[in-house]
Amino acid sequence: MRILGLESSCDETAAAVVEDGVRVRSSIVSSQADLHEPYGGVVPEIASRAHVERIIPTLRAAMHEAGLTWSYLDAIAVGHRPGLIGSLLIGLTAAKSLAWAGGLPIVGIDHVHAHLYAGCLETQPAAFPALGLVVSGGHTATYLLESPTRLQRLGATIDDAVGEAFDKAATMLGLDYPGGPELDRLAEAAHHLGRDERAHTFPISRLKPGSLDFSFSGLKTAMLYAVRGRPGPGGSFERDHASLTVQAKQDLALGFRRAAIDAILLKLDRARKKLLRDGREPRSLLVGGGVSANSLLRRELASLADRWHIDLRLPPMEWCVDNAAMIAGLAHHQLAAGVADDLTLAAVPTTAC
Ligand code: KG4
Ligand code: ZN
């Protein structure tokens, strides 16, 4: 079964053709990072306009790269939640038009759920039950998956998502937009220079004993104070990032990255222990979302998978960040499970996962 997937939930316009849920025949991602860079964050109206301009060329490019004509498609899949409403509507409208014109089924996919599927593309089917981890700019959560389509949330962030914390910390350090990868690069350079991760330690959020939830706002505040000093009575700070040496920035990036990733590993360990207590030993670990591109997280997850004897599904870089291959791939399983939508499918700002 060949499915054309569309993704436009935030600032990437993407289209992909995936066969039988695994074989990625094409995957096109048009990033808008350059448009939002001057504002230091995604501007919803700019994002929607760019999606309008890019959606048709992007889906045409995906069909061209796949070497297919429209008549070879079996279904249209679209990320219809969560995201910026104006952005979601562009992909959704294009998907409905294609489905209607081609008389094809339409499948609405939850973007957060799709991130968990990214590591199942171009490889053998994963074994279930599986433990899932989504670490993105908008979400940070763990899941128990009984199959690619059936999942239950175990824990989630009570404040910021980890990607958001990375981005804000990077801004505080005066790094370029988008900040998460830049902060990772700075920390990685320091790591290769042999600098000490404990030169500057940051708090690791634990929450109450046994809690599976995450919190990153304290870590963000710790970075603010480390860079700018304590706020004075009028709310003004002692200094800004311009007064920091390169070495000081490296130490802060290293320490911040270590605390953020350790917090994720801690909650992953707690989630697995809970599943073991419930007699649901996970056979796979499905990881997705932009922060799964983080160098330290990738190294730590690889060694953790060795220790746990679990099949780690860590997507290659191109499928860590937003893409449509994960949308089209998951849609195959949704259709196989008999779940399809119709032209009344709505755009929804929140996740169902
Ligand atoms: O999944 P994604 O592309 O979009 C959302 O669904 O949110 O994730 C984007 C997030 C951004 O916050 C970005 O800074 C972060 O992923 N990110 C990283 C890295 N690469 C992307 N964070 C830390 N280290 C990285 N290497
Ligand atoms: Zn995403």
Side-chain angles (χ1 to χ4, degrees), residues 7 9-10 12 111-112 115 134-139 288-290 320-323 326:
E7 155 63 37
S9 62
C10 190
E12 257 98 32
H111 176 99
V112 177
H115 270 307
V134 173
V135 277
S136 75
H139 296 87
C320 287
V321 288
D322 290 349
N323 66 87
M326 64 184 191

Side-chain angles (χ1 to χ4, degrees), residues 162-244:
V162 63
E164 191 182 345
F166 263 96
D167 292 339
K168 299 254 168 70
T171 305
M172 291 171 202
L173 286 172
L175 304 179
D176 288 342
Y177 173 89
E182 287 297 318
L183 192 149
D184 187 25
R185 257 194 290 281
L186 185 65
E188 204 56 8
H191 169 75
H192 290 302
L193 286 170
R195 298 199 54 78
D196 183 3
E197 279 188 334
R198 287 170 303 270
H200 196 113
T201 54
F202 282 88
I204 296 168
S205 147
R206 296 171 184 280
L207 299 178
K208 54 183 193 314
S211 169
L212 303 184
D213 289 333
F214 300 83
S215 167
F216 292 99
S217 62
L219 179 59
K220 209 175 63 180
T221 308
M223 178 62 108
L224 179 69
Y225 290 168
V227 173
R228 306 201 58 189
R230 295 263 158 188
S236 60
F237 286 91
E238 293 164 15
R239 55 179 184 268
D240 73 6
H241 63 77
S243 61
L244 295 176

Side-chain angles (χ1 to χ4, degrees), residues 2-335:
R2 299 182 184 111
I3 301 182
L4 171 67
L6 301 181
E7 155 63 37
S8 68
S9 62
C10 190
D11 60 341
E12 257 98 32
T13 318
V17 177
V18 177
E19 203 165 293
D20 299 330
V22 260
R23 190 172 162 227
V24 181
R25 296 202 43 166
S26 64
S27 177
I28 307 288
V29 179
S30 169
S31 168
Q32 303 174 8
D34 54 330
L35 298 181
H36 302 288
E37 201 242 298
Y39 306 95
V42 177
V43 183
E45 185 61 16
I46 293 178
S48 309
R49 287 182 191 205
H51 285 306
V52 170
E53 287 163 11
R54 297 173 185 203
I55 191 79
I56 306 266
T58 304
L59 64 89
R60 276 193 205 285
M63 291 300 288
H64 180 76
E65 190 176 284
L68 294 179
T69 57
W70 299 102
S71 59
Y72 283 97
L73 289 179
D74 298 298
I76 307 292
V78 60
H80 76 120
R81 69 187 307 173
L84 301 169
I85 203 78
S87 291
L88 288 168
L89 280 168
I90 312 305
L92 186 61
T93 308
K96 285 183 183 178
S97 310
L98 290 171
W100 180 76
L104 298 172
I106 183 167
V107 190
I109 295 290
D110 190 304
H111 176 99
V112 177
H113 188 173
H115 270 307
L116 288 169
Y117 188 76
C120 300
L121 294 165
E122 292 289 351
T123 180
Q124 300 301 313
F128 291 88
L131 176 57
L133 171 71
V134 173
V135 277
S136 75
H139 296 87
T140 303
T142 51
Y143 300 88
L144 165 65
L145 290 100
E146 300 288 355
S147 76
T149 55
R150 284 193 299 135
L151 79 176
Q152 177 197 329
R153 193 170 70 199
L154 300 172
T157 183
I158 58 168
D159 42 51
D160 297 333
V162 63
E164 191 182 345
F166 263 96
D167 292 339
K168 299 254 168 70
T171 305
M172 291 171 202
L173 286 172
L175 304 179
D176 288 342
Y177 173 89
E182 287 297 318
L183 192 149
D184 187 25
R185 257 194 290 281
L186 185 65
E188 204 56 8
H191 169 75
H192 290 302
L193 286 170
R195 298 199 54 78
D196 183 3
E197 279 188 334
R198 287 170 303 270
H200 196 113
T201 54
F202 282 88
I204 296 168
S205 147
R206 296 171 184 280
L207 299 178
K208 54 183 193 314
S211 169
L212 303 184
D213 289 333
F214 300 83
S215 167
F216 292 99
S217 62
L219 179 59
K220 209 175 63 180
T221 308
M223 178 62 108
L224 179 69
Y225 290 168
V227 173
R228 306 201 58 189
R230 295 263 158 188
S236 60
F237 286 91
E238 293 164 15
R239 55 179 184 268
D240 73 6
H241 63 77
S243 61
L244 295 176
T245 62
V246 172
Q247 198 165 313
K249 285 189 184 182
Q250 286 180 341
D251 288 342
L252 291 172
L254 257 187
F256 177 92
R257 183 176 75 163
R258 170 50 71 189
I261 301 307
D262 278 357
I264 292 169
L265 298 171
L266 171 76
K267 299 304 162 68
L268 206 51
D269 185 54
R270 284 186 186 172
R272 177 170 171 269
K273 286 194 174 118
K274 181 199 161 7
L275 296 185
L276 293 179
R277 279 197 306 275
D278 295 347
R280 307 291 295 134
E281 180 171 3
R283 300 171 65 200
S284 317
L285 176 56
L286 311 183
V287 183
V291 183
S292 57
N294 186 270
S295 326
L296 177 63
L297 181 59
R298 294 180 83 83
R299 282 197 291 276
E300 292 289 359
L301 287 174
S303 71
L304 175 145
D306 267 359
R307 289 198 305 280
W308 288 359
H309 304 293
I310 197 169
D311 179 19
L312 174 63
R313 296 308 182 94
L314 195 52
M317 293 298 194
E318 61 180 315
W319 296 327
C320 287
V321 288
D322 290 349
N323 66 87
M326 64 184 191
I327 302 283
L330 178 57
H332 171 87
H333 295 276
Q334 213 124 292
L335 272 178

